[in-house]
């Protein structure tokens, strides 16, 4: 079976982060929801990757796995910036030297 990092490498653009009020896609801040049938629905992980969005009453993420945000910078540095991947838990990213 594929590792979560390998799946992240293939679907890095299908990511969402838990924020106040629910999940939002990382790049476009679109509100999305874990489908109630998902095993992750009650767990509410901070970072998730999904295979597809299905729009019924809401935009539901289907085939969802939990990921580590650091994987996104590893597999897609051309797509993500570090500031997009701050987890918002109060820890700041280190400041760049020489500013």
């Amino acid at each position: 079976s594929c590792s979560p990092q390998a799946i992240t490498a293939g679907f890095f653009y299908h990511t969402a982060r838990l924020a106040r009020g629910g999940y939002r896609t990382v790049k476009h801040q679109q509100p999305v929801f874990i489908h109630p049938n998902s095993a992750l629905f009650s767990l509410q992980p901070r970072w998730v990757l999904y295979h597809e969005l299905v729009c019924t009453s809401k935009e539901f993420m289907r085939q969802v796995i939990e990921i580590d945000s650091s994987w996104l910078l590893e597999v897609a540095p051309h797509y993500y910036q570090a500031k997009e991947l701050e987890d918002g838990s109060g820890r700041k990213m280190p400041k760049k030297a020489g500013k």
Side-chain angles (χ1 to χ4, degrees):
S1 68
C2 281
S3 73
Q5 290 95 329
I7 294 169
T8 302
F11 289 92
F12 61 84
Y13 44 87
H14 283 179
T15 53
R17 171 183 28 211
L18 185 61
R20 267 181 254 128
Y23 285 92
R24 292 195 171 266
T25 60
V26 175
K27 270 293 184 184
H28 302 106
Q29 300 301 305
Q30 175 184 357
V32 289
F33 301 86
I34 294 179
H35 197 278
N37 290 344
S38 171
L40 293 182
F41 179 75
S42 60
L43 298 177
Q44 299 282 294
R46 182 176 290 276
W47 292 88
V48 296
L49 181 145
Y50 57 89
H51 180 256
E52 64 181 349
L53 288 177
V54 177
C55 187
T56 53
S57 56
K58 300 176 181 174
E59 287 276 5
F60 285 110
M61 298 179 283
R62 300 221 348 209
Q63 292 89 40
V64 179
I65 62 168
E66 182 175 8
I67 62 166
D68 187 312
S69 62
S70 67
W71 300 344
L72 297 173
L73 274 183
E74 290 170 22
V75 303
H78 59 287
Y79 192 75
Y80 289 107
Q81 297 174 3
K83 65 179 181 165
E84 291 177 295
L85 304 176
E86 291 174 359
D87 71 2
S89 66
R91 288 181 314 215
K92 299 229 173 177
M93 299 286 277
K95 290 199 170 158
K96 296 240 191 296
K99 271 199 170 179

